[in-house]
Amino acid sequence: KDPGTLRDITQRTVSIIEKWCQAKGLKVSATKTKLVMFTWNKKWEIRKAIKLDGIPLELSQTVKFLGITLDSKLSFKQHVLNVTKRATTILMQCRKAVGPTWGLTPQTCRWIYTAVVRPIMTYGITIWINGLKTQSNQNEFRKVQRRAMQMATGAIRSTASITLNKLNDIPDIIDYLNGEAVNNALRLDAYGDWTKEITPNLKGSINSHST
């Protein structure tokens, strides 16, 4: 609960890593290292900077790790915006090859979405599943799927999303994402790699990963 104590523990850890790297002939880049305080508490500060190789490390609101953007509140809003923007860009590139009466067949358009575009949005879903709790994040995913389904059917813009999904035999993207998260969790549990954390249910605390 004390940012000062947390700062001291982190500095000791960083120093240990730095010394280990020096012993192995390696070096950690201070300019590529980010610090993120994962907390819902808005009233906190670190009065003394954490240093790496003598260089003060700056605090950041987000950090990208293995393709997943982690924000300080673990809302995953930025990650959702990143992946949906990338998925939309790829979809629009494919859209140039499709017209009302020419271009790719509906089956090919559906395949592009399910095999190329949708996997971009499902990557690491078990990690950022809590990001689907907000309606705004859900809407970002539904926009991408709606564009893809319109491309596959050639339907007019006023066609309801649920109708587009039925015509293409595609489940709602939010249902699909939740299902993929569950499948991944069950697979990890079957291999003995799923850990169920026990965290106190206190106001201001962040829900555990397994929850």
Side-chain angles (χ1 to χ4, degrees), residues 74-176:
L74 294 181
S75 67
F76 295 101
K77 175 65 176 179
Q78 191 58 51
H79 177 75
V80 169
L81 292 175
N82 290 345
V83 296
T84 52
K85 180 180 179 180
R86 183 185 172 199
T88 301
T89 299
I90 294 176
L91 191 62
M92 289 301 98
Q93 290 174 345
C94 297
R95 181 69 181 83
K96 296 177 182 178
V98 182
T101 58
W102 56 270
L104 303 176
T105 64
Q107 292 82 2
T108 303
C109 292
R110 184 183 185 280
W111 178 86
I112 290 174
Y113 175 71
T114 57
V116 180
V117 178
R118 194 168 61 180
I120 294 174
M121 300 190 290
T122 59
Y123 173 74
I125 178 61
T126 312
I127 302 297
W128 53 269
I129 183 64
N130 283 338
L132 295 181
K133 289 183 176 180
T134 63
Q135 189 64 47
S136 60
N137 284 353
Q138 292 182 15
N139 291 340
E140 294 298 329
F141 287 106
R142 287 194 170 110
K143 287 178 185 177
V144 178
Q145 177 155 306
R146 178 177 174 79
R147 288 193 182 98
M149 298 303 97
Q150 284 180 316
M151 187 175 77
T153 60
I156 59 176
R157 293 185 177 181
S158 60
T159 306
S161 296
I162 189 171
T163 302
L164 292 172
N165 293 341
K166 289 293 184 180
L167 289 172
N168 289 280
D169 192 24
I170 292 287
D172 178 75
I173 184 61
I174 304 305
D175 292 339
Y176 180 80

Side-chain angles (χ1 to χ4, degrees), residues 43-86:
K43 297 180 180 179
W44 64 270
E45 62 176 336
I46 296 179
R47 298 180 180 179
K48 187 178 180 181
I50 297 173
K51 295 183 178 181
L52 175 62
D53 195 24
I55 301 174
L57 300 177
E58 295 183 2
L59 283 167
S60 176
Q61 291 298 314
T62 62
V63 62
K64 194 171 184 179
F65 184 69
L66 297 178
I68 297 178
T69 303
L70 306 171
D71 59 90
S72 60
K73 295 182 179 180
L74 294 181
S75 67
F76 295 101
K77 175 65 176 179
Q78 191 58 51
H79 177 75
V80 169
L81 292 175
N82 290 345
V83 296
T84 52
K85 180 180 179 180
R86 183 185 172 199

Side-chain angles (χ1 to χ4, degrees), residues 3-36:
T5 301
L6 181 59
R7 180 265 167 204
D8 294 340
I9 294 174
T10 304
Q11 181 62 74
R12 287 198 299 268
T13 305
V14 170
S15 298
I16 291 172
I17 294 172
E18 186 178 2
K19 291 179 180 178
W20 182 89
C21 289
Q22 291 174 352
K24 303 297 181 179
L26 304 173
K27 186 176 182 180
V28 180
S29 174
T31 58
K32 295 182 179 180
T33 302
K34 291 185 178 182
L35 291 174
V36 179

